[in-house]
Amino acid sequence: MDHCDEWFKLTESLFPGRSYSRAMIEFEKINAAVSLMIWMQATWKPTAEINLFIGEINKMGMEPVNMLKDEEDQSLNNMTKQTLMVAVESREAGKTRVLINQWADEDEEW
């Protein structure tokens, strides 16, 4: 993700403000962050740490999605949204769910 930050610094000097090139770099950073998040899950990092990182990933995606929503070609916007959904779905998959059978008799064993 550090390489994307270096690209940002360079693009700010070459063409300041919002641009499609900057949105592509932001997409690359989001993609790298999601890959890092998946690695964190695979190496059993604490859930609280992973969830905090997922929040940071979602914040990374706000600016490019808002900029790209008005573009005629929505392909980069859709790719960015789908990459962000990987992070959101990953967070949902980490939640513990308990199913309660409301029709079970008290005498029945599960």
Side-chain angles (χ1 to χ4, degrees):
M1 292 183 352
D2 293 336
H3 67 284
C4 293
D5 292 332
E6 292 297 321
W7 288 349
F8 282 139
K9 290 177 189 174
L10 184 61
T11 59
E12 286 175 0
S13 63
L14 294 176
F15 33 89
R18 292 177 140 184
S19 68
Y20 199 78
S21 299
R22 187 173 170 93
M24 290 176 65
I25 296 169
E26 288 174 325
F27 171 73
E28 177 67 28
K29 185 174 181 176
I30 293 167
N31 216 0
V34 168
S35 297
L36 179 59
M37 178 211 60
I38 292 170
W39 175 83
M40 290 170 70
Q41 289 176 325
T43 57
W44 299 97
K45 298 290 183 189
T47 304
E49 184 180 330
I50 295 170
N51 287 342
L52 184 65
F53 190 59
I54 291 171
E56 290 176 24
I57 293 170
N58 285 325
K59 287 177 188 173
M60 285 180 213
M62 292 179 76
E63 186 179 336
V65 167
N66 286 334
M67 187 194 97
L68 294 169
K69 69 182 177 187
D70 296 327
E71 290 288 320
E72 187 175 320
D73 181 10
Q74 287 291 302
S75 58
L76 184 57
N77 194 20
N78 291 335
M79 288 188 308
T80 304
K81 287 178 182 178
Q82 290 171 0
T83 305
L84 291 169
M85 283 303 301
V86 171
V88 171
E89 289 172 359
S90 179
R91 184 175 190 163
E92 293 296 319
K95 291 183 179 178
T96 304
R97 292 182 172 81
V98 177
L99 300 177
I100 300 172
N101 186 349
Q102 63 181 344
W103 295 282
D105 292 332
E106 291 179 15
D107 296 336
E108 280 185 23
E109 290 188 26
W110 291 58

